[in-house]
Amino acid sequence: MPQSDLERLTAPVRRTTWRFYAVVAPLAAIVALGAYAYYVQFTTGLGVTGMRDYVSWGLYISNFVFFIGVSHAGTLISAILRVSGAEWRKPITRMAESITVIAISVGALFPIIDLGHPDRILNLLFYGRIQSAVLWDFISIATYLTGSLLYLYLPLIPDLAAMREAKVGGRFRRALYGFLSMKWRDHPGQRWRLKRGIAIMAVLIIPIAVSVHTVVSWIFGMTLRVGWHSTIFGPYFVVGAILSGIATIILAMAVFRKVYHLEKWIKPLHFRNLGLMMLALDLILVYFTLSEYLTAAYGSESADTAWLNALAFGPYAYLFWGMVVGGLLAPVFILALTRVKSVAWLVVAAVCVNVGMWFERLLIVVPAMATPQMPVNWASYSPTWVEWSITAGAIAGFVLLYAVFSKLFPLVSVWEVSEETPEAKPTPRPVGEEVTP
Amino acid sequence: MPDADAKGEASDEAPQVGKDGMDRRRFLKMAGIGAGAVAILAIGSKFLADRIVPASADPRLRGSTSNSWVMMIDLSKCDGCGACTRACDAAHYVPSGQSWIQVYTVQDATGGTYHLPRPCFHCRNAPCVKVCPVGATYVDPDGTVLVDQTRCIGCRYCMAACPYNARFFNWTTPSYPPAALAHTYSPEEPWPTTKGVVMKCVFCAHHAREGTLPECVTGCPMGAIYFGNENEDAVTNGMGETLPFRKTLQTQGGFRWKEELGTDPRVYYLPARR
Ligand code: SF4
Ligand code: SF4
């Protein structure tokens, strides 16, 4: 493995400037605020939130769906591209896989934050009933987290061993790399087994990921509520998840490329290919959204109509049209007009997609709960500072964990990108496109 | 797979691979021990829990299959005074903000209005029971849907699932008078309870087995609410008036709220105008 690659890719691990701390400190402060808000909620009760008996799920459950959605990043990029043998994926798989693990970890906290009795969470083990979709979620998310951790860890081993050999980092990190690299000596037999392991995980993780967001959607789909009781929810959630996952990878790639000077590995080709994937998934999501809402709108069931009216013209209109126009259509136009060539516009589109997807998650959870089921007026819901602080804390925590990850492990898989040179196949290019690195 | 593995190892440098194989075995062994420990812990705790709370003393198994409670509410008699709600609130120390039996005002097709008292419907095919991940919401042998507030984890999935908004959450710690605090909690008489659990109408299951009527039935000054045992085919209101259950429903146009959902409620209504 060329020493220069290892040296340059582990540079962020070796050197930490004041700028890193300048970013980390405010993030840590926001996380601390979130933790304080949770303390208030834990001691006083969920009454400190804006949730009440009608709208009894709010920001927390929306955040849960959103983060678990973002976690689909790694699976798509690394597993699907690995299985289909797309060589260009190599420099970005690590970033994608780490998004997955971090997003699941943060997302899985939200149902627990939402519990009235978090201290009784072990009841899920003692009294768990497999008939309940909550248990389906519990099982599939635990499986997904375990699988993704393994899937992140396996391709890390050779890099960890290389860092161990190169004596990167102080005492703590050296011990960490020594422990985690598990006597990796880079023998052909070890390589062969590692590749097999990675290949098996890549195949396994795809159905697991699809199942995860499907059962998340079934939490809602299995009830009898207007706006939730819909057969399209499984695929709708999965596509939305992959879309927000790709958008998040694009953002991570853009930021890390700039901050850590990874231009040699993260090339316009990667942005372009991911941009095309984002465009395709966005279009599929437009199609699903149309199917979902048009079916409800075309009939005239009074409850459906009332729910749609509230979405399109009522209190949720800003969110709804923000999601449709800003989160779904605007990215399509941006990507189409710039022909997916400009990284800056791609980043804008990715931000639009992620904000739009967060709106979408909120629009799925809240209006359906506010829809009257009995002869009463519409219920209202406005989140309190506790909910906003915990939400901000989670987003900051996500970024913080990612920043810390970048200081512990190389963000680009060193051994995999080194493998490409010199005898590797030429990097396949998108059809009809000349890309200059 | 072990075959291929062994071959792969044989072709490598022997000492290195030997060590390597041992590592993997050790890793697998450790993983196996870990998984086993978790499983034994879970099964063991369940076993212990079953010993500590023997089934005979389980408050969840009270009642008998010869009872099948039903309620019939004559909407033409209800004037919407809310006395049923007040009687229920007082007898059950219902935390403020909740109304286990709630009286709605409904607009009918002719432009008039009528009143609709809604207790929990104790659905025979209850969505809330289906979705509860820990079995905190359960059906007792009488057919009453109850919540074990000592098991509830407060996920509120049952509230999302109930199509009738019959469930309430203790968003904060309920304030109880001393009499309620001195009471011994049971799912049938759920007070005192803590914050973070779900509450709802208990169909006065404890009264019913002792042969007395629910609080809302005796509390209704109009005699609009009837209660009884489906197996005896008779329902009685607070005035002592007893009606044949099935025949009354048939002749008076009995119906249930949102029958089309298939929840099969135990609460029946007689129309407001007939
Ligand atoms: S009315 Fe609601 S709470 Fe009562 S049994 Fe039916 S679904 Fe459950
Ligand atoms: S809130 Fe309690 S009773 Fe309701 S579903 Fe969750 S655990 Fe069961």
Side-chain angles (χ1 to χ4, degrees), chain A residues 367-428:
Chain A
M369 297 215 89
T371 307
Q373 304 197 94
M374 294 300 286
V376 286
N377 292 330
W378 275 73
S380 66
Y381 166 67
S382 44
T384 61
W385 73 269
V386 172
E387 286 161 289
W388 287 121
S389 305
I390 291 180
T391 303
I395 296 171
F398 175 83
V399 180
L400 183 64
L401 283 174
Y402 212 166
V404 170
F405 182 87
S406 79
K407 285 290 161 193
L408 287 177
F409 307 103
L411 283 169
V412 173
S413 183
V414 183
W415 67 282
E416 281 186 289
V417 294
S418 310
E419 234 179 18
E420 269 185 335
T421 49
E423 72 281 279
K425 314 168 215 166
T427 317

Side-chain angles (χ1 to χ4, degrees), chain B residues 128 131-134 136-137 147 152-158 167 198:
Chain B
C128 60
V131 300
C132 180
V134 294
T137 290
V147 184
C152 173
I153 59 174
C155 65
R156 308 192 295 295
Y157 196 11
C158 54
R167 297 185 152 247
V198 160

Side-chain angles (χ1 to χ4, degrees), chain B residues 253-272:
Chain B
F255 69 97
R256 290 180 293 181
W257 199 249
K258 295 204 231 176
E259 180 100 56
E260 72 279 5
L261 294 180
T263 50
D264 204 358
R266 285 179 178 274
V267 175
Y268 297 75
Y269 291 102
L270 297 180

Side-chain angles (χ1 to χ4, degrees), chain B residues 119-123 126-129 145 161-167 200 263:
Chain B
C120 164
F121 290 159
H122 296 273
C123 309
C128 60
V129 175
V145 175
C162 169
Y164 309 108
N165 291 114
R167 297 185 152 247
K200 72 169 196 59
T263 50

